[in-house]
């Protein structure tokens, strides 16, 4: 019997059998053992872990082991900017923010304004940049740390990624990209190159990166895992979520092209109520009488699923709601009303955070501690451990992050690279990294360092 | 009868029939009328124009017309870095330098370190960067103006080119790239994207660009000409040279993989003499007696061809050499000796210039007048004429070059873009373009300008 569902990076169709998907994709089930270890290290389990919304992984056990050994890890996720974000888009960000809080993580968020532009004939680059700004505000509103989070747009940060991107690109043929990303001969040459820029952030630090994302994104990372070690980096670990079901029914995933399938972050309270009442697929019976007699089915009821996935965090309450609904004590309308209240409460808080976030975009993109360090790095190759030690010794305060530097051609990459070197020498010089004076004053130091570079 | 020669960007085979090639490629013949107009504007004709080494073009007539009208033009050429450059590699640079002198041109020279790395499995990125440095010294040694020439490596300057590169890339499908650049499904996704970065420099200024290059490169520019106007730029004009024949015979072109086919720029006088005497294909007779009786054939004699193409600039002398050789007055050995002397003279001067050039690389790449302006630009879209006028009025000294700016998202591209804007406000602020202070102080101005941006 053929599967009655499809999951690819560009399509989710049918009622997904997640156990089967683990088998198909060859990922690992998120076991109770792993969850216990997360709880031990984090002090608690996020609601989406308790409820199996995150249900599958690759190398999460390694992440936890390396964390326990003091090596640490970092998190990477991203967003293809769109006109409006819906509730489903927030899932990986909500979870990543929790990870950041519990593990004190550096978090990198890639805004793929290039991909969005390249993939959609009718979209222009100015549009994707406008959307990026709006989406970034929604992402910041989730509550990420301003000094441990770097949000970057490809069309800007490519300057620091390209040398490593060509190394990644050289290891991916058109045939491979075609199979993995659903391309063909009529695809444009920009979208064909783009996967290289999606892979580079998995190599931003010289330790393992964890990617929280929908399981449909897994194929993207298989290519990364095939090549990462040959470039001197780590295979990316992943933790995979299920799809928050669309309002319209338990199949597929929410889609911006079907507005009634989703709640948008800017939907006002009335709109939320109307959409839930009108569209939220119900597992209840046709009449009040039948509902009282036979009860509803929470397993297919989208309102219940949304409460279960995230919006009712209290385990006792969600169990009671489930029992009441299944037994017929609770009517569909009552269940929907609970969701409406939870959603409107969430969205009200979100919008307040978002208003503040609009003023903080530059902190996350350019000026925060992690962001400003990242703008001074050119990604190309991880230095050896001994070189890192040398740099720390010479520079004193050399940031632990600045360990991906070009190996040769000091003057070639001079602006950004020497800015990196000046970091440890004089923080005030950073502001003037474009100046020839600073560049020249760094040369003697660059020469010394380059000896170690070569080793 | 099938053609007995092949000319593609990746292969030149057989004895090229250049008239047929003009027909095949659909280019224009470089007529006497056009040459007269060049002579009128330039005051003279370069030896490679007089001798028909440059023999074909696209829109060179438009270039001359626009120049006469005061609109001007600029020149763009490039180099895929290699371990050692040979005499043949210098042809477009020697001619471009002459153009710069005569027309006071801005000249852009792209060093494709990314392409070289992506196209050759055995080459690593550090190598192509080392070669870039060496090749750049050879190019500077030709005598380009330090303040009107910008030499840039793709892996560095991509930061300023990517937004326009994705716009270019979106207009080229894999099928088109495949046909034009000899790619297939096993090609890596980096080399597939690369043509976009080769096209962007044809859009560096808001006037027409002239590309002096071997005619084998023409297919690259056909794609450019198909899309340029839709992006608000000019179709690139070209002037095409024949191939300086390899030492080993009048067919094909010089190849680095056949060392005896070429004279390298670092060949010492003894090596040059040995190579010419041993390998230079002769149009002479088998013995002195036969040569005296029947004379030689300068049309296939490589030594004569090299003298004719460039190394004997004196028209009277080259005519005399041709007559003497054809009549049998001059022996092959004598002809070769003339070339040896000319070459060694040329190479000696070149090496002296090169030694000086090694110390000037940063001027051409970063610090010269044109170079430093270019590092402050992000290429994306040409502004309308009225916007340019507005900017000049506001900024006073706004450089005529800085007319390719992003239209929206001021803060998005803040660093580079606002650097552009500050140019006219305060030259001293340029050194500190990365600083938040400057960025913030520019906001009021950015806001005003953005209104015009939108128009």
């Amino acid at each position: 019997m053929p599967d009655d569902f499809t999951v690819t990076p560009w399509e989710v169709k049918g009622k997904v059998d997640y156990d089967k998907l683990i088998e198909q994709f060859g990922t690992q089930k998120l076991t109770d053992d792993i969850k216990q270890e997360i709880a031990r290290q984090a002090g608690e389990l996020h609601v989406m872990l308790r409820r199996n919304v995150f249900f599958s992984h690759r190398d999460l056990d390694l992440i936890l082991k390396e964390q326990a050994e003091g090596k640490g890890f970092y998190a990477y996720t991203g967003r293809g900017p769109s006109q409006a974000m819906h509730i489903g888009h927030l899932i990986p960000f909500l979870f990543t923010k929790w990870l950041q809080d519990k593990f004190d993580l550096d978090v990198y968020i890639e805004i793929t304004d290039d991909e969005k532009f390249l993939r959609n004939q009718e979209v222009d680059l100015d549009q994707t940049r406008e959307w990026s700004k709006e989406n970034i505000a929604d992402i910041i509103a989730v509550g990420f740390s301003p000094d441990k989070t770097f949000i970057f747009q490809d069309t800007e940060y490519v300057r620091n990624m390209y040398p490593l991107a060509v190394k990644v690109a050289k290891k991916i043929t058109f045939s491979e990209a075609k199979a993995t990303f659903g391309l063909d001969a009529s695809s444009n040459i920009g979208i064909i190159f783009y996967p290289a820029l999606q892979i580079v952030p998995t190599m931003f630090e010289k330790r393992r990166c964890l990617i929280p994302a929908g399981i449909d994104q897994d194929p993207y990372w298989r290519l990364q895992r095939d090549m990462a070690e040959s470039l001197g980096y780590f295979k990316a670990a992943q933790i995979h979520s299920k799809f928050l079901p669309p309002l319209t029914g338990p199949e597929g995933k929410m889609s911006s092209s079907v507005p009634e399938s989703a709640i948008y972050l800017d939907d006002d309270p009335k709109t939320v109520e109307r959409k839930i009442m009108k569209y939220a697929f119900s597992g209840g019976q046709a009449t009040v009488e039948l509902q009282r007699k036979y009860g509803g089915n929470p397993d297919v009821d989208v309102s219940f699923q949304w409460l279960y996935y995230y919006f009712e965090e209290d385990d006792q309450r969600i169990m009671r709601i489930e029992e009441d609904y299944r037994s017929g004590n609770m009517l569909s309308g009552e269940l929907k009303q609970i969701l409406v209240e939870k959603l409107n409460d969430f969205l009200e808080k979100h919008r307040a955070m978002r208003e503040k976030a609009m003023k903080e975009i530059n902190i996350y993109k350019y000026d925060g501690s992690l962001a400003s360090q990242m703008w001074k790095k050119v990604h190309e190759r991880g230095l050896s451990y001994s070189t890192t030690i040398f740099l720390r010794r010479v520079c004193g305060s050399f940031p632990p992050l600045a360990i991906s530097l070009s190996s040769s051609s000091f003057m070639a990459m001079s602006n950004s690279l020497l800015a990196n070197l000046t970091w440890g020498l004089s923080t005030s010089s950073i502001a003037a990294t474009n100046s020839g004076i600073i560049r020249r004053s760094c040369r003697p130091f660059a020469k010394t360092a380059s000896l170690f570079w070569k080793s």
Side-chain angles (χ1 to χ4, degrees), chain A residues 5 49 56 64 101 138 198 214 240 255 297 301 322 368 424 441 449:
Chain A
F5 66 93
L49 287 169
S56 156
L64 294 166
D101 289 350
D138 280 314
Q198 179 156 334
H240 303 121
S255 164
N297 179 4
D301 191 292
E322 182 171 2
S441 72

Side-chain angles (χ1 to χ4, degrees), chain A residues 167-286:
Chain A
K167 291 191 172 186
V168 168
K170 197 175 180 180
K171 292 182 178 281
I172 305 174
T173 66
F174 177 69
S175 299
E176 287 164 336
K178 190 179 152 181
T180 311
F181 308 110
L183 306 171
D184 60 37
S186 73
S187 301
N188 71 64
I189 65 173
I191 197 65
I192 294 169
F193 173 67
Y194 163 76
L197 289 177
Q198 179 156 334
I199 287 175
V200 166
T202 66
M203 303 167 182
F204 272 0
E205 297 190 13
K206 197 74 195 238
R207 48 186 174 174
R208 203 175 299 277
C209 132
L210 176 65
I211 303 169
I215 190 160
D216 54 331
Q217 300 298 300
D218 179 67
Y220 278 80
W221 312 118
R222 287 181 213 152
L223 284 179
Q224 192 274 355
R225 291 171 60 85
D226 285 345
M227 77 174 67
E229 291 178 351
S230 74
L231 288 173
Y233 293 93
F234 290 86
K235 290 183 180 184
Q238 298 142 63
I239 180 163
H240 303 121
S241 68
K242 298 177 185 169
F243 310 109
L244 187 65
L247 273 189
T248 39
E251 301 197 347
K253 70 173 188 177
M254 262 182 272
S255 164
S256 300
S257 55
V258 189
E260 67 271 22
S261 73
I263 296 293
Y264 290 91
L265 299 179
D266 61 354
D267 279 346
D268 62 36
K270 285 236 155 76
T271 306
V272 169
E273 183 164 16
R274 189 181 52 78
K275 277 190 180 175
I276 299 295
M277 291 304 175
K278 183 163 176 189
Y279 297 115
F281 184 86
S282 170
Q285 303 294 341

Side-chain angles (χ1 to χ4, degrees), chain A residues 18 22 134 314 324 361 366 420 429:
Chain A
Y18 287 105
I22 285 179
E134 298 296 328
D314 185 320
D324 284 353
I361 289 177
Y366 311 111
N420 248 319
S429 65

Side-chain angles (χ1 to χ4, degrees), chain A residues 88-131:
Chain A
H89 292 142
L90 277 194
I91 293 280
F93 295 109
L94 291 164
F95 183 68
T96 305
K97 181 250 187 298
W98 178 83
L99 285 174
Q100 181 174 60
D101 289 350
K102 296 298 164 185
F103 293 90
D104 197 26
L105 292 188
D106 291 334
V107 169
Y108 300 90
I109 299 172
E110 181 172 48
I111 307 295
T112 60
D113 56 353
D114 53 347
E115 189 216 10
K116 195 63 161 200
F117 165 73
L118 288 164
R119 210 178 267 285
N120 300 285
Q121 208 47 56
E122 70 289 0
V123 169
D124 78 25
L125 198 51
D126 288 341
Q127 258 177 315
T128 72
R129 297 224 189 91
E130 273 305 307
W131 295 344

